[in-house]
């Protein structure tokens, strides 16, 4: 999904775009930083910013990249970290002039599109919704009145943050000067002939003057949740290596410092061999121990492996044994499985290390985590199964209110994959409420038939996804009730 946030200086675009990207697992693209980099290079090389030819020559040859470091996104121009240098008053004064040069814009827009190639991006600037990504699924035009923007910027320049402190003060003279500069820049940015600052016709307008950052972020995330992705994921084999994109092809080599993302984005068959062997050993051991302590059985188990296509397996969640049973069973039948797990588990490095090698895909709960959705979609297209617990967390009693998280239907819909319901009973009894010690006991699962979207009657993509969620969970609970009838007393 592409999210475009445009608006005048100081309206909060960077703050909001960064927070939305973090919350939803998307790449953040600060396009203003790119125009600033060109401006900084001009100033540092003694190039007159009114010399359009000389400025264009720099813009055409510079290579701008973004990298993570020191807790923030770093801006790299021709291999040099310019993150700090591009935020000086000197750059502020000249950047509007530089960014008005058509050849500069042409070069920057081309690089921005390249950086956004992977699709999952929150880009902010002045012309994102109108020029750079006119087909972005969500477009926001963020404004705030000039006085509020000048105050925020003045506080920021003095090392404070108007977003986190209501009574943050700044020197009145500085604030006046910043206000003058902002108004001047607004005028230049919105009246230039080339890609002037203006809202896209289909942009949502948000005035942040009296809203907190969190309120604005919530509004954007809500817009994303109702937007329909229009950019299909790159089919398997078409991964690319541009910044922010995901490399999905090629075997991962052992002992090569592969990142966690490498594991989330690659096919299981491309994982390094030593890791796969180690995982196999762990699965055999865990399978044997759990079978011994809690003899488990899957009724109609062949439904899980007789069909080779990728599918989303949804299941009720009562204990940590639930994913183990499915993972062990599918591994023994050679079916690749990606388990979608809550990113809270990633607080422990060793857990992230193990889950990534085991083919897990982390999801940031309570958000539209589109990166996770895309990863799952690609896995399904490759023929891997995706196991997901729509109940979110373990349900310890039938009286507990349960909220179903619907991302699974979107994954299936995007990948044109079916959804398979599975139920489990007995596992809840092995961890009695309030106790850590496990009890021995039998556990039963039951696999249901795959549900295709052709069984769903609703019209429209969103309505069909919602209908699939409902139908799949009804089937899960019907299977669970069948198991309870067959094995009375088991929960
Ligand atoms: N809703 C808000 N309420 C209060 N302060 C905010 C709000 N949004 C952003 N800020 C603060 O305002 C300052 C400017 O925000 P930010 O840099 O995100 O604006 P911007 O639109 O990206 O500006 P520019 O286009 O010049 O880069 C920051 O210190 C930020 O913390
Ligand atoms: N897409 C963009 C982004 C930025 N600019 C110009 C306008 C600003 O004056 C300058 C710096 O941007 P900021 O860092 O303040 O967001 O760059 C543009 O023309 N188009």
């Amino acid at each position: 999904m592409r999210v475009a946030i445009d608006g005048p200086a100081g309206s909060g675009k960077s703050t909001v775009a960064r927070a939305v990207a973090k919350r939803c697992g998307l790449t953040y693209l600060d396009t203003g930083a790119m125009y600033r980099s060109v401006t900084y290079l001009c100033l540092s090389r003694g190039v007159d910013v009114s010399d359009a030819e000389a400025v264009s020559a720099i813009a055409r040859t510079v290579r701008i990249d973004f990298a993570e470091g020191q807790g923030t996104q770093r801006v790299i121009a021709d291999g040099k970290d310019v993150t700090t240098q591009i935020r000086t008053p000197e750059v502020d004064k000249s950047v509007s002039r530089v960014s008005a040069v058509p050849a500069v814009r042409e070069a920057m827009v081309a690089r921005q599109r390249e950086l956004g190639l992977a699709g999952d991006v929150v880009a902010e600037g002045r012309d994102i919704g109108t020029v750079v990504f006119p087909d972005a699924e969500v477009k926001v035009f963020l404004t705030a009145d000039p006085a509020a923007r000048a105050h925020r910027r003045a506080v920021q320049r003095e090392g404070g943050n108007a977003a986190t402190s209501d009574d943050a003060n700044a020197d009145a003279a500085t604030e006046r000067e910043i206000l003058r500069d902002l108004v001047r820049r607004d005028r230049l940015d919105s009246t230039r002939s080339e890609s002037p600052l203006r809202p896209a016709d289909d942009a949502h307008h948000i005035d942040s003057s009296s809203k907190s950052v969190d309120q604005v972020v919530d509004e954007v995330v809500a817009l994303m949740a109702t937007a329909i992705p229009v950019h299909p994921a790159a089919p398997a084999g078409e991964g690319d290596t541009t910044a922010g994109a995901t490399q999905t092809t090629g075997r991962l080599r052992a002992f090569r410092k592969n990142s966690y993302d490498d594991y989330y984005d690659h096919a299981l068959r491309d994982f390094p061999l030593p890791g796969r062997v180690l995982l196999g050993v762990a699965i055999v051991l865990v399978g044997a121990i759990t079978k011994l302590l809690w003899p488990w059985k899957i009724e109609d188990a062949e439904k899980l492996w007789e069909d080779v296509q990728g599918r989303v397996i949804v299941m009720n969640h009562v204990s940590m044994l639930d994913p183990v049973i499915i993972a062990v069973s599918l591994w023994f039948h050679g079916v690749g499985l990606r388990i979608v797990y809550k990113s809270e588990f990633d607080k422990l490095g060793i857990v992230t290390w193990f889950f990534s090698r085991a083919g897990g895909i982390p999801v940031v709960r309570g958000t539209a985590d589109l990166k996770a959705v895309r990863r799952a979609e690609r896995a399904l297209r490759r023929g891997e199964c995706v196991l997901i617990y729509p109940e979110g967390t373990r349900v310890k009693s039938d009286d507990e209110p349960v909220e179903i998280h619907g991302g699974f239907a979107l994954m299936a819909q995007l990948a044109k994959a079916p959804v398979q319901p599975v139920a489990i009973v007995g596992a809840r009894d092995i961890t009695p409420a309030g106790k850590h010690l496990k009890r021995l006991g039998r556990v039963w699962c039951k696999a249901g038939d795959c549900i295709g979207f052709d069984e769903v009657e609703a019209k429209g993509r969103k309505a069909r996804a919602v209908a699939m969620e409902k139908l799949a969970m009804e089937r899960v609970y019907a299977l669970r009730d069948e198991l309870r009838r067959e094995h009375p007393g088991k929960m």
Side-chain angles (χ1 to χ4, degrees), residues 177-312:
E177 194 197 323
I178 290 176
L179 178 58
R180 270 196 301 277
D181 183 54
L182 278 181
V183 172
R184 183 186 65 87
R185 269 213 286 155
D186 284 356
R187 185 171 39 77
L188 286 173
D189 292 345
S190 14
T191 56
R192 67 184 177 216
S193 57
E194 198 68 25
S195 315
L197 164 68
R198 67 166 182 85
D201 294 340
D202 49 350
H204 299 270
H205 291 247
I206 302 179
D207 182 344
S208 74
S209 312
S210 50
K211 285 186 177 147
S212 71
V213 172
D214 280 347
Q215 280 173 316
V216 181
V217 172
D218 287 346
E219 274 185 51
V220 178
V221 172
L223 291 171
M224 290 165 70
T226 55
I228 305 286
V230 293
H231 300 283
E238 282 187 20
D240 61 73
T241 52
T242 48
T246 44
Q247 167 79 25
T248 54
T249 54
R251 187 173 287 275
L252 287 174
R253 296 182 61 191
F255 313 114
R256 285 295 165 127
K257 293 208 173 128
N258 299 310
S259 68
Y260 293 138
D261 283 340
D262 284 332
Y263 284 94
Y264 305 143
D265 292 326
H266 273 74
L268 292 168
R269 61 171 180 273
D270 289 335
F271 282 20
L273 189 63
R276 284 192 286 150
V277 171
L278 208 66
L279 182 68
V281 173
I283 284 189
V284 171
L285 277 176
V286 171
I289 295 170
T290 54
K291 268 262 183 197
L292 204 68
L293 296 176
W294 305 287
W296 49 261
K297 185 171 184 306
I298 306 181
E299 296 180 9
D300 299 330
E302 65 290 344
K303 288 184 183 171
L304 282 171
W305 45 79
E306 68 187 0
D307 184 358
V308 287
Q309 69 174 322
R311 65 217 116 97
V312 178

Side-chain angles (χ1 to χ4, degrees), residues 31-32 35-36 95-96 99 105 125-127 185 189 192:
T31 61
Y35 292 97
R36 286 174 177 276
V95 66
S96 283
S99 59
R105 302 207 68 82
R126 305 294 189 285
D127 59 345
R185 269 213 286 155
D189 292 345
R192 67 184 177 216

